[in-house]
């Protein structure tokens, strides 16, 4: 009888230890490190639409790998304080908010420590156009770039120089070759803005950049920033986000993608990790 009681005690002990281990494993399972919400329009230019679809396939995969939550919406009315309070990082995939209350909510979000990542057309403004420069805080203060001036054509890869003195770029090489892109030129010289840290710019080895056919769509010289941060905010702007499309043969087939470049992808991932309060390391 005593022997049986000892066996029973041992079984109880083993059961308790098993339950303890399971509870411990449950406690160690990491939850989402932070939450990201991406806004997009997906209506302007097939190349931008292609990028939006690509991004909404790619970011959920990255979120799963790096343990954060990625949501996306084309409903810009969600750009309000109550909705934004659920997220640590906001992404503009292709455009910017237009309604005054949406703009005010975004400015408040950023001025209170929110994170932001914008791509390509999210920085566009040109007066007159469908997207005029009618938001000084965003284009002049926040981005610092002012209006769009011109771009290269066709979308082509470029050799890019990197300032590795930032959490988003410290795992980057000093130079790398980008995915094909339509590169923008801006009205303001960001080098003269003390609040702006230019992280990536076009290396002169890229010139001539673009193939035309119009001569002004081919750049032969100059300084062109393509990724930067405003040190007053937790933000990164990427000029990348324009895929190459087969317009000439009227097939509208996708000829290139943005998020298929391991080095360039690393920059985006480490930027998100920095904004989400992570180290940005692998």
């Amino acid at each position: 009888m005593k022997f049986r009681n000892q066996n029973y005690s041992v079984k109880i002990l083993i059961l308790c230890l098993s339950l303890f281990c399971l509870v411990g494993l449950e406690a160690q399972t990491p939850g989402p490190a932070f939450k990201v919400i991406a806004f997009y329009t997906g209506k302007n230019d097939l190349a931008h639409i292609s990028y939006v679809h690509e991004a909404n396939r790619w970011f959920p995969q990255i979120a799963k790998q790096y343990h954060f939550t990625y949501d996306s919406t084309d409903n810009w009315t969600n750009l309000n304080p109550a909705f934004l309070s659920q997220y640590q990082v906001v992404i503009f995939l292709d455009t910017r908010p237009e309604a005054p209350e949406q703009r005010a909510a975004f400015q408040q979000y950023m001025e209170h420590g929110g994170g932001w990542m914008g791509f390509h057309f999210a920085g566009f403004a040109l007066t007159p156009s469908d997207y005029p420069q009618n938001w000084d805080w965003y284009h002049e203060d926040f981005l610092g770039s002012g209006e769009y001036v011109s771009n290269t054509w066709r979308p082509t890869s470029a050799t890019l120089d990197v300032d590795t003195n930032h959490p988003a770029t410290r795992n980057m090489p000093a130079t790398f070759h980008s995915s094909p892109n339509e590169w923008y030129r801006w009205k303001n010289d960001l080098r003269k803005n003390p609040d702006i840290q230019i992280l990536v710019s076009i290396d002169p080895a890229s010139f001539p950049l673009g193939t035309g056919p119009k001569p002004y769509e081919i750049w032969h010289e100059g300084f062109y920033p393509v990724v930067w941060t405003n040190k007053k905010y937790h933000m990164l702007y990427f000029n990348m986000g324009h895929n190459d499309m087969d317009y000439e043969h009227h097939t509208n087939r996708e000829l290139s993608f943005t998020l298929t470049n391991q080095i360039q992808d690393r920059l985006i991932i480490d930027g998100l990790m920095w904004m989400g309060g992570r180290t940005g390391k692998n």
Side-chain angles (χ1 to χ4, degrees):
M1 186 70 179
K2 184 177 181 181
F3 180 75
R4 290 180 180 176
N5 287 339
Q6 286 176 339
N7 283 343
Y8 181 75
S9 299
V10 170
K11 289 180 180 179
I12 293 295
L13 178 61
I14 292 172
L15 178 60
C16 291
L17 287 172
S18 299
L19 290 172
F20 177 80
C21 291
L22 287 172
V23 171
L25 287 172
E26 181 72 21
Q28 292 173 16
T29 301
F34 55 95
K35 295 183 68 177
V36 177
I37 179 66
F39 288 86
Y40 64 92
T41 300
K43 294 180 180 179
N44 299 92
D45 194 309
L46 289 175
H48 300 162
I49 296 171
S50 169
Y51 171 70
V52 167
H53 292 327
E54 179 190 6
N56 279 328
R57 294 190 302 266
W58 184 80
F59 276 106
Q61 297 172 6
I62 297 302
K64 184 177 181 180
Q65 183 178 353
Y66 289 88
H67 308 294
F68 63 89
T69 297
Y70 176 82
D71 298 323
S72 63
T73 180
D74 62 356
N75 182 1
W76 288 85
T77 62
N78 284 328
L79 199 65
N80 62 69
F83 185 81
L84 293 179
S85 67
Q86 305 172 64
Y87 295 93
Q88 288 71 53
V89 181
V90 169
I91 296 176
F92 292 172
L93 288 177
D94 62 343
T95 52
R96 63 184 192 186
E98 298 299 321
E101 64 273 15
Q102 296 165 10
R103 292 180 171 186
F106 178 67
Q107 180 174 348
Q108 180 185 33
Y109 175 82
M110 294 308 303
E111 290 177 343
H112 287 81
W116 177 83
M117 184 175 285
F119 290 92
H120 194 62
F121 201 64
F124 181 91
L126 178 64
T127 304
S129 77
D130 291 339
Y131 295 90
Q133 204 303 73
N134 57 6
W135 190 9
D136 282 348
W137 174 82
Y138 182 76
H139 292 286
E140 299 293 338
D141 180 12
F142 182 65
L143 286 172
S145 52
E147 284 191 283
Y148 155 95
V149 174
S150 66
N151 60 267
T152 60
W153 192 257
R154 295 191 60 91
T156 49
S157 178
T159 300
L160 302 179
D161 294 330
V162 181
D163 174 3
T164 58
N165 188 30
H166 188 275
T169 57
R170 63 186 174 195
N171 292 321
M172 301 285 290
T175 62
F176 73 99
H177 296 285
S178 75
S179 299
N181 191 54
E182 173 196 59
W183 305 102
Y184 283 168
R185 180 163 68 97
W186 308 95
K187 180 179 179 180
N188 296 343
D189 186 346
L190 292 173
R191 294 172 294 183
K192 297 179 180 180
N193 189 332
D195 294 325
I196 299 296
Q197 181 181 357
I198 298 169
L199 299 178
V200 181
S201 58
I202 293 173
D203 188 286
S206 299
F207 300 132
L209 185 61
T211 60
K214 299 173 184 177
Y216 63 82
E217 296 172 330
I218 305 172
W219 294 348
H220 295 274
E221 61 182 1
F223 179 80
Y224 304 98
V226 296
V227 180
W228 65 85
T229 186
N230 185 324
K231 292 178 283 188
K232 296 192 298 183
Y233 305 97
H234 222 47
M235 62 83 77
L236 288 169
Y237 172 76
F238 293 81
N239 188 215
M240 299 79 163
H242 183 113
N243 294 340
D244 194 13
M245 310 293 291
D246 184 15
Y247 296 117
E248 286 75 12
H249 299 95
H250 306 291
T251 70
N252 294 327
R253 182 168 58 91
E254 294 167 315
L255 301 178
S256 74
F257 294 95
T258 300
L259 302 169
T260 55
N261 183 310
Q262 186 175 5
I263 298 175
Q264 188 170 286
D265 292 352
R266 179 81 265 163
L267 173 60
I268 297 169
I269 293 166
D270 283 357
L272 282 174
M273 296 300 103
W274 166 62
M275 291 179 191
R278 305 281 289 276
T279 63
K281 296 181 179 179
N282 292 336

